[in-house]
Amino acid sequence: MNPCFYWIGRPVSFRPGETIAAALLRAGIADLGPEGGAVRGRVFCGIGACQACVVAIAGEGPVEACLTPARSGMRLAPQPGLGLHHD
Ligand code: FES
């Protein structure tokens, strides 16, 4: 059984070495919540350049989901107010 983290309380399993973004997308979670107040957070560039995928790890703060390896037991939530505006 794969380890899991929690996205707004929902368990999301991941494979060892997988990023947060990869695990969320594989679980069918593409909407990462409000970003910049106008557009929705999401995985956009996938290489750490756009900041559209920034999420908050409880007790740690904001990270880029596309660059950050998933760890067992992390509690993640949307991180509003960061990132570039794009449509
Ligand atoms: S998707 Fe662009 S920084 Fe993560």
Side-chain angles (χ1 to χ4, degrees):
M1 182 173 180
N2 287 327
C4 76
F5 60 80
Y6 299 89
W7 172 250
I8 321 175
R10 171 183 164 181
V12 176
S13 67
F14 63 92
R15 299 173 182 140
E18 198 168 41
T19 64
I20 293 168
L24 287 172
L25 289 173
R26 196 161 42 73
I29 301 168
D31 182 350
L32 302 184
E35 177 239 345
V39 293
R40 305 296 291 181
R42 65 181 188 226
V43 179
F44 185 66
C45 72
I47 58 170
C50 74
Q51 307 294 292
C53 70
V54 171
V55 296
I57 302 176
E60 297 182 35
V63 297
E64 293 110 336
C66 70
L67 297 180
T68 306
R71 300 191 317 271
S72 185
M74 288 189 308
R75 297 194 174 275
L76 303 171
Q79 174 68 34
L82 295 176
L84 303 175
H85 291 261
H86 49 75
D87 293 311

